[in-house]
Amino acid sequence: MEAAPPSISCRGVTKTYDLAKRRVEALRGVDLDIAGAGFFAVMGASGSGKSTLMHLVAGLDRPTSGEISVAGARVDRLSEAELTRYRRKTIGVVFQHFNLLPSMSALDNVMLPALLDGVTRRDAEPRARALLEELGVGARGSHRPDALSGGEQQRVAIARALYFAPSVILADEPTGNLDSAAAARLFELLSRLARERNTLLLMVTHEPEAAANCERVIVLRDGRVAGSFDTSDSAGRRLDAGALAIRTQELARSAG
Ligand SMILES: Nc1ncnc2c1ncn2[C@@H]1O[C@H](COP(=O)(O)OP(=O)(O)OP(=O)(O)O)[C@@H](O)[C@H]1O
Ligand SMILES: [Mg+2]
């Protein structure tokens, strides 16, 4: 298990897609520093670059230029083999689409990263079962994804992301496919997990109610960080969702 303290740092990160007819500058110089465990939100208009940033930090794609460091590793400089290991062990990733393998049981989906890493079924199973239990889907281990609700599928996906106890969890609209009651329960669960496991959780969300559970909100605008703010003031008073939405919109629309 990795022991490096959780952190994410981006310096001048750009990502340009060269399409046949035009060039898309999805990220135009992202500078970002998050140090230590906690729950952080990424917000911003559709197309502002949130998912692109998450993909680069997750090592699923490489930046066009700039530096990305996560838990002490220079992600932009890792070899393909090192990236595979990084994706499996240093970070956990949870997406809007649950990305479970449809032909496998919930239990097998959770064990998959371990099996791919050479752990035997016999060794992987107790931990996978304990994670399903902790996430409230212990009785669903033998179900295939299509026999689970959306909220249950996402819990299985989170259990899978937690198998190797990553120091950083990236979640891109993890409740985007859930109804509001299931979404609220999942946010609570995620923030509790981040706290209990000393994890840095970076979550993209469009929902001010969800971001209000985070410590800091980072707002992207046109491929750059427009600004960020804490969700509680110096007296410890927390911003409510309405006030948070206004702050976010001010930054998302600000010039420059
Ligand atoms: N693979 C790709 N090829 C070309 N353009 C892309 C690709 N991925 C993203 N883009 C473009 O990059 C920009 C940023 O996209 P991104 O998905 O990061 O936005 P987002 O902030 O996550 O938006 P949303 O809130 O809608 O999910 C958009 O203009 C998008 O069309
Ligand atoms: Mg997105």
Side-chain angles (χ1 to χ4, degrees), residues 90-103:
T90 306
I91 54 155
V93 177
V94 181
F95 291 113
Q96 177 172 0
H97 305 286
F98 316 121
N99 288 350
L100 298 174
L101 290 183
S103 61

Side-chain angles (χ1 to χ4, degrees), residues 119-134:
V119 181
T120 64
R121 285 189 74 87
R122 204 192 143 101
D123 287 341
E125 192 168 322
R127 175 161 176 79
R129 283 198 186 279
L131 283 165
L132 286 172
E133 195 65 47
E134 185 180 354

Side-chain angles (χ1 to χ4, degrees), residues 17 19 22 24 26 44-53 172-173 206:
Y17 295 103
L19 306 179
R22 62 190 190 107
V24 179
S46 180
S48 58
K50 305 179 297 296
S51 293
T52 304
L53 181 63
D172 192 351
E173 299 192 49
H206 286 284

Side-chain angles (χ1 to χ4, degrees), residues 41 62 79 94 100 118 186 210 230:
R62 291 183 185 272
S79 67
V94 181
L100 298 174
L186 200 86
D230 291 336

Side-chain angles (χ1 to χ4, degrees), residues 50-254:
K50 305 179 297 296
S51 293
T52 304
L53 181 63
M54 298 298 265
H55 272 85
L56 299 184
V57 174
L60 294 166
D61 201 355
R62 291 183 185 272
T64 305
S65 65
E67 300 175 5
I68 301 175
S69 303
V70 176
R74 271 290 295 275
V75 181
D76 55 289
R77 286 191 178 157
L78 297 180
S79 67
E80 287 303 318
E82 289 167 333
L83 271 179
T84 301
R85 188 184 147 75
Y86 167 77
R87 285 193 297 256
R88 204 171 280 157
K89 299 223 164 146
T90 306
I91 54 155
V93 177
V94 181
F95 291 113
Q96 177 172 0
H97 305 286
F98 316 121
N99 288 350
L100 298 174
L101 290 183
S103 61
M104 290 171 91
S105 70
L107 182 68
D108 283 352
N109 267 285
V110 177
M111 287 197 291
L112 187 60
L115 301 181
L116 290 173
D117 206 58
V119 181
T120 64
R121 285 189 74 87
R122 204 192 143 101
D123 287 341
E125 192 168 322
R127 175 161 176 79
R129 283 198 186 279
L131 283 165
L132 286 172
E133 195 65 47
E134 185 180 354
L135 282 146
V137 283
R140 299 282 183 276
S142 64
H143 291 221
R144 292 205 320 208
D146 63 6
L148 296 170
S149 73
E152 289 170 340
Q153 289 183 57
Q154 196 59 301
R155 284 160 191 262
V156 174
I158 294 168
R160 181 183 55 185
L162 292 174
Y163 185 91
F164 282 114
S167 59
V168 172
I169 297 176
L170 304 170
D172 192 351
E173 299 192 49
T175 63
N177 283 327
L178 304 181
D179 65 50
S180 57
R185 284 196 299 273
L186 200 86
F187 283 128
E188 235 179 82
L189 179 66
L190 278 170
S191 63
R192 179 170 63 77
L193 288 170
R195 215 171 35 244
E196 288 175 358
R197 289 161 187 264
N198 221 26
T199 302
L200 190 171
L201 170 58
L202 184 64
M203 176 184 72
V204 174
T205 180
H206 286 284
E207 292 158 63
E209 293 76 14
N213 291 318
C214 297
E215 285 158 45
R216 181 146 67 104
V217 178
I218 297 143
V219 181
L220 293 194
R221 179 180 173 276
D222 288 345
R224 292 195 182 89
V225 176
S228 68
F229 58 90
D230 291 336
T231 53
S232 51
D233 64 18
S234 49
R237 281 183 300 258
R238 296 196 61 81
L239 280 182
D240 64 27
L244 185 145
I246 292 167
R247 287 286 301 267
T248 303
Q249 273 165 26
E250 281 167 3
L251 284 171
R253 289 193 194 130
S254 62

